[in-house]
Amino acid sequence: MSDSAKQKQIIQAVNILQAGGLVAFPTETVYGLGADASNPTAVRKIFAAKGRPADHPVIVHLAAPEQLNTWARDIPAIAWQLAARFWPGALTLILKRAEHVCDQITGGQDTIGLRVPSHPIAQALLQAFGGGIAAPSANKFGRISPTQAAHVQQELGDQVDLILDGGASHFGIESTIIDVSGATARLLRPGAIPLSELNNIIHGTAALTPAKEMTRTSGMLLSHYAPVTPLKIVPKTTLSTLIKTLLSADNKIGVLAHSVMPTEKHEHLTWYTMPAEPISYAHELYSTLRAADAQKSTIILVEAVPEQEAWLAVKDRLKKAEGTV
């Protein structure tokens, strides 16, 4: 697509947002389903399209860190430090909401999630629009997040007024979420940013906050990012045995594995070889889960990932897809 055609699409997207419509757009993490964050009626359309519970907050996307003051109050120094280091980028900050922020954005809470994405199309859209765009992932609530424009079309179809195609998302999993609305910074959701980099800013306190103590925010349910097909995480040592047992009972299975290789071919076995490195694994995870889900198997088996800090975000998404967090 030419630059002029891209610019026309951005203008079209801005007009749709200003009219209260929905625009799906790419970010470096996953595709978002966007509406004018200052328009409660437009934001409610997001919830209707996704089937999202009304008390589940959505993240507001901004063009630049300077817009924080428009959407949040009592912003602590640590928030500005994190923004300076990681924005534009895959970090969401939870802050005290500004007075004008509608309850549809925050789920009725006194906090708001804010992010400045780095994807060039997201940036072009936000800069042209000028305001905040409320945008959870562009999929049915609780299901696998979209990392390509085609995924959005498959899930939401004509419920979206326009889908901006920016190719495959770079990271492939959602943003890191840090709550800086209280006395100490708390990691609510691991994401693309390594904990070691976060700890350089928040002084070694980036331990994952227990779910019962969390502020409600995106992706915090026990079951999330899930395929329709039941998913089970299996240790490497027992994966092959379980596969044989399931196949002997005439089950149709899909397998995602990063170290174990298939011992034999079987008409009811579909094998997906995953990267053995966490960043590449994360990039491929959702698109592979979608492919496995489309096979309509009895079950999807996933080889357990290593118990290492670098795999924390991938492990989080897999456990939520399994529903065992």
Side-chain angles (χ1 to χ4, degrees):
M1 185 183 294
S2 67
D3 289 343
S4 61
K6 290 178 182 177
Q7 185 58 34
K8 286 181 180 178
Q9 273 213 322
I10 293 296
I11 294 170
Q12 181 185 3
V14 169
N15 290 337
I16 289 169
L17 291 171
Q18 290 174 339
L22 299 180
V23 174
F25 63 96
T27 78
E28 67 279 18
T29 57
V30 299
Y31 275 67
L33 180 61
D36 180 356
S38 66
N39 183 339
T41 301
V43 175
R44 280 194 286 269
K45 291 181 181 179
I46 294 175
F47 286 79
K50 286 177 62 68
R52 188 181 182 92
D55 67 347
H56 206 65
V58 295
I59 294 168
V60 174
H61 294 64
L62 309 174
E66 292 74 25
Q67 292 178 307
L68 267 182
N69 284 315
T70 303
W71 293 90
R73 70 179 197 278
D74 303 331
I75 302 171
I78 190 66
W80 293 112
Q81 293 168 16
L82 288 164
R85 172 64 181 83
F86 297 111
W87 281 357
L91 175 68
T92 295
L93 296 178
I94 305 298
L95 291 152
K96 294 292 186 183
R97 62 189 263 188
E99 290 185 7
H100 71 86
V101 175
C102 64
D103 284 343
Q104 286 77 16
I105 294 290
T106 68
Q109 298 178 115
D110 192 39
T111 54
I112 184 172
L114 298 166
R115 177 160 106 81
V116 177
S118 63
H119 194 288
I121 291 179
Q123 272 292 314
L125 176 62
L126 286 157
Q127 290 174 21
F129 181 64
I133 299 178
S137 56
N139 57 283
K140 291 297 183 181
F141 183 71
R143 296 304 178 191
I144 304 167
S145 297
T147 57
Q148 300 175 27
H151 298 163
V152 182
Q153 181 63 45
Q154 291 163 8
E155 288 246 348
L156 300 177
D158 59 7
Q159 292 179 286
V160 185
D161 298 301
L162 178 66
I163 301 173
L164 297 175
D165 190 345
S169 297
H170 176 69
F171 290 118
I173 58 173
E174 299 77 9
S175 62
T176 301
I177 300 179
I178 295 185
D179 186 347
V180 288
S181 65
T184 59
R186 301 188 302 160
L187 175 66
L188 302 190
R189 182 177 71 184
I193 301 172
L195 290 189
S196 58
E197 293 187 27
L198 292 172
N199 282 329
N200 287 337
I201 307 295
I202 60 177
H203 311 299
T205 60
L208 190 59
T209 302
K212 64 181 180 180
E213 300 175 12
M214 284 185 180
T215 303
R216 290 197 319 277
T217 189
S218 297
M220 293 295 101
L221 296 184
L222 298 183
S223 177
H224 219 85
Y225 319 119
V228 175
T229 308
L231 182 147
K232 182 177 178 59
I233 301 169
V234 184
K236 172 184 175 180
T237 53
T238 59
L239 181 58
S240 296
T241 301
L242 180 57
I243 290 171
K244 291 178 182 178
T245 300
L246 289 170
L247 290 176
S248 67
D250 206 30
N251 289 288
K252 183 178 180 181
I253 60 176
V255 179
L256 278 64
H258 61 278
S259 66
V260 179
M261 296 298 291
T263 55
E264 60 183 34
K265 293 185 178 180
H266 194 287
E267 62 177 339
H268 288 166
L269 171 64
T270 305
W271 193 279
Y272 302 90
T273 300
M274 298 297 291
E277 182 272 324
I279 295 176
S280 299
Y281 191 112
H283 180 268
E284 297 296 324
L285 176 58
Y286 288 157
S287 59
T288 306
L289 282 178
R290 283 182 176 273
D293 204 23
Q295 295 293 321
K296 301 188 184 301
S297 299
T298 308
I299 192 169
I300 298 171
L301 303 180
V302 180
E303 178 192 355
V305 298
E307 293 289 335
Q308 299 170 3
E309 180 182 293
W311 288 89
L312 181 61
V314 168
K315 181 181 176 182
D316 172 78
R317 301 313 190 272
L318 288 175
K319 292 186 72 175
K320 286 175 179 169
E322 186 184 38
T324 59
V325 174

